[in-house]
Amino acid sequence: QLQLVQSGGGLVQPGGSLRLSCTASGGTLNPWAVGWFRQAPGKEREGVSFISKSARITKYADSVKGRFTISKDNTVNTVYLQMNSLKSEDTAVYYCAADLYYELTWDKLGTPTDFGSWGQGTQVTVSS
C-alpha cells in the first residue's frame, strides 16, 4: 500500500510562492499517476494539477495555469507542486493523491474518485 506524506504549505502573502512536496513510502512512485487537489471551506475538492505515470503529460486547472508547476523526481520518490504568484483564492487545504491505474489524458483533469491513495493534506493560506 503506497503511503503519501505531504510537506510544505503555510502562510504567504499575495504574489508569493510556496512549494508543496508529496513523498511516497511503501513503494516506488514511478508507475503511479499523481495529482494535486485542493479544498476550500464550504467548497468541493477540486483538481489542481496532474502528472502522468511517465511524467510526459502534465495538466493544470485553468485557475492555476501559468502559475503552478507540477514535477516528479523518481530518485527521491517525490512529486512537487511549485506555486508562484499566489492569490487569496488559492487558499485551501491541498492534497496529493496517487493511483496506479489512472491514465491521465490531454483532454480532462482527474477527479477525486480517480485516485486511491491520498496524502494527509496541508493548509495553504494566502493573505496579507
Side-chain angles (χ1 to χ4, degrees):
Q1 179 76 19
L2 195 73
Q3 295 182 342
L4 304 176
V5 177
Q6 297 178 221
S7 60
L11 174 64
V12 65
Q13 292 186 342
S17 298
L18 284 174
R19 188 177 77 162
L20 305 182
S21 300
C22 176
T23 301
S25 62
T28 173
L29 201 52
N30 188 32
W32 296 64
V34 178
W36 286 95
F37 294 82
R38 66 187 181 187
Q39 189 165 19
K43 294 189 176 181
E44 292 187 354
R45 192 167 297 188
E46 63 173 356
V48 174
S49 181
F50 301 87
I51 190 164
S52 65
K53 300 174 183 182
S54 66
R56 282 198 283 266
I57 302 174
T58 57
K59 280 203 61 78
Y60 300 89
D62 288 342
S63 58
V64 306
K65 208 170 288 183
R67 302 187 296 121
F68 289 13
T69 303
I70 191 171
S71 60
K72 195 178 188 186
D73 187 344
N74 289 325
T75 64
V76 292
N77 237 14
T78 299
V79 170
Y80 302 99
L81 184 69
Q82 177 66 43
M83 305 185 294
N84 299 328
S85 302
L86 283 161
K87 305 175 181 179
S88 58
E89 51 262 45
D90 295 317
T91 296
V93 177
Y94 284 70
Y95 299 89
C96 67
D99 199 273
L100 190 58
Y101 303 105
Y102 176 67
E103 296 289 345
L104 180 63
T105 60
W106 292 105
D107 61 336
K108 61 181 180 179
L109 296 176
T111 65
T113 57
D114 291 323
F115 291 83
S117 297
W118 288 82
Q120 80 275 19
T122 187
Q123 178 70 45
V124 171
T125 302
V126 185
S127 175
S128 55

